[in-house]
Amino acid sequence: MKDPTFYEFLPAETFGRERTIYVDRFTGRDTIRYYLERAGITDEKIIDALLRRVKSSRGPFTWERLIEEARRLMT
């Protein structure tokens, strides 16, 4: 996640597009933490609860959905 060249041959920006990342049941805690920290969310309880949600979900989460779910858990 920290170095996109590891998994991208050409960056999305080359084609005028944005990078879209999906997290799914194979995602680990560090990936969830990384995205939540970028949004200013550092509560480990939220990270753990969201990881459980992602792992039990049938579909992937976009970055936007991940943040939305985290904010919902904070209330």
Side-chain angles (χ1 to χ4, degrees):
M1 302 317 279
K2 295 176 185 171
D3 182 10
T5 60
F6 181 72
Y7 57 87
E8 284 182 335
F9 176 67
L10 295 170
E13 295 82 7
T14 302
F15 304 98
R17 307 214 40 197
E18 288 184 19
R19 179 179 298 116
T20 303
I21 302 293
Y22 295 94
V23 294
D24 62 11
R25 63 183 184 184
F26 301 108
T27 298
R29 179 175 278 104
D30 286 340
T31 300
I32 302 274
R33 181 180 292 117
Y34 173 78
Y35 282 109
L36 293 184
E37 284 178 353
R38 288 181 62 190
I41 302 168
T42 58
D43 186 335
E44 289 296 320
K45 290 179 184 177
I46 299 294
I47 293 168
D48 289 341
L50 194 52
L51 180 63
R52 285 191 300 274
R53 260 189 208 187
V54 168
K55 296 278 187 189
S56 66
S57 176
R58 292 181 181 228
F61 281 57
T62 60
W63 183 83
E64 294 84 6
R65 181 176 174 201
L66 197 66
I67 301 308
E68 180 182 307
E69 291 287 328
R71 290 198 172 123
R72 195 173 295 138
L73 287 167
M74 290 169 40
T75 59

